[in-house]
Amino acid sequence: LRTLLHRKITTTSMEYKINDKVYNISSNLTDFQIKLYTHLIDWKHKHITKEPGIYKGNLYDLMFPESYSKNNEISPVIYDKIHSEIKEIQKSPFAYKVHKMAFHMASSQCACINLFLPVLLDSKANEIISKIPGCPCNFDKIDRSKLYKGFCFEYWGQDITSGKGLLNDHSNVAGTDADIAIAYLNKKGESCLWLIEHKLTETDFTNCGGYKSKNNKPKESCKNSNLDDILCNPELCRYHQIGYNYWSIQQSKNYLFNAPINSKGCPFLNGVNQLWRNQLLAFALENTPKYTHVSFSVVHHKDNTSLQPTIDKYKQLITNNITFTTFTNSDIVNSAETYSNELSEWITWYKDLYNL
């Protein structure tokens, strides 16, 4: 039983008391978030440090003190056996941009690296990957000649183009990317790509930034214009007004979005927006000579059910097309347990950290 203690600091920082222990965490959390956050804090206190971090003047037990982020290139929440490989990645053309919240126990970027990198470096990686529910049905083996040893974190098409990318939306502060991309050869020997979005404790996907933009006036166009309206007149969308390629790609692939849409307004305003943009990136990549087939998936913590309504809505929108699939972090760990004898230490560590 948890008790919320009164605290006059901000509306976003709260103290939770669980079994006589006080935790400084955010407010307005789901039961799953509270359970995993408090577990991560206990893990941090046991294995790393009891010192909290500070964000906007408030103490947060999930965050690391400034000394950790100042003196370390790699967050202490990342599995120590892969630190040397991460340093090599960061020297390569496929170095990834470290998130601002990487020095946070619940960092989704760090959790993604912790989940995939040990598996992708394992000698049984092909067997493990192929047995994950949601793996592309034409997967044969990882294409180690592509990207960094066959994969790339924070992928937006940087092996194909530079600048603003295929969607013309990439910048230092914005843009569409996959948390990880895995290059593979299909059973015909063709080069393919699997884009994956990773979620740990998030309750939804990213909403439409174009709609929220202060320069999007009038916003009524987004609420009153349905999918067909915008396809006929993309200028109704702020994204199109600023030069993003979303609607030109959507027009060529709209036959996949043939489910009846009962709601009024653009179907991509809320969390579905991020899924849609990642799918558009997959479509754009398929239009290049580099990759024959490109699939897109979402992987999330097995106990995070908050994402399911948005996932279900998107699946309905694309009529359950096989180019989009979902699976959980437990699916990967279970496959690794089955096919690899070398990952036992990582499996124990990962399950302990993320409370599986």
Side-chain angles (χ1 to χ4, degrees), residues 294-353:
V294 183
S295 302
F296 168 52
S297 295
V298 168
V299 58
H300 58 86
H301 191 286
K302 73 176 184 66
D303 295 328
N304 187 353
T305 59
S306 296
L307 302 168
Q308 201 58 48
T310 298
I311 290 172
D312 289 342
K313 183 178 180 181
Y314 186 69
K315 283 184 174 180
Q316 181 182 22
L317 190 61
I318 61 171
T319 58
N320 289 305
N321 191 280
I322 61 172
T323 58
F324 173 69
T325 60
T326 64
F327 56 99
T328 72
N329 56 351
S330 280
D331 291 327
I332 299 181
V333 173
N334 291 342
S335 185
E337 283 184 308
T338 302
Y339 292 98
S340 176
N341 295 323
E342 301 168 5
L343 288 174
S344 58
E345 183 178 343
W346 164 76
I347 290 168
T348 300
W349 177 89
Y350 182 91
K351 292 168 75 171
D352 181 44
L353 173 57

Side-chain angles (χ1 to χ4, degrees), residues 91-146:
K91 295 176 187 176
S92 79
F94 298 101
Y96 60 88
K97 182 179 179 180
V98 177
H99 287 181
K100 290 182 178 179
M101 286 296 177
F103 288 81
H104 187 293
M105 286 298 297
S107 163
S108 188
Q109 183 185 58
C110 293
C112 178
I113 294 169
N114 283 334
L115 181 61
F116 282 98
L117 189 51
V119 169
L120 289 166
L121 297 175
D122 190 71
S123 62
K124 297 293 184 180
N126 290 328
E127 290 85 349
I128 296 169
I129 296 295
S130 67
K131 299 304 179 182
I132 297 171
C135 177
C137 59
N138 61 354
F139 177 91
D140 185 43
K141 60 183 178 180
I142 298 170
D143 186 354
R144 300 293 185 179
S145 68
K146 297 287 194 301

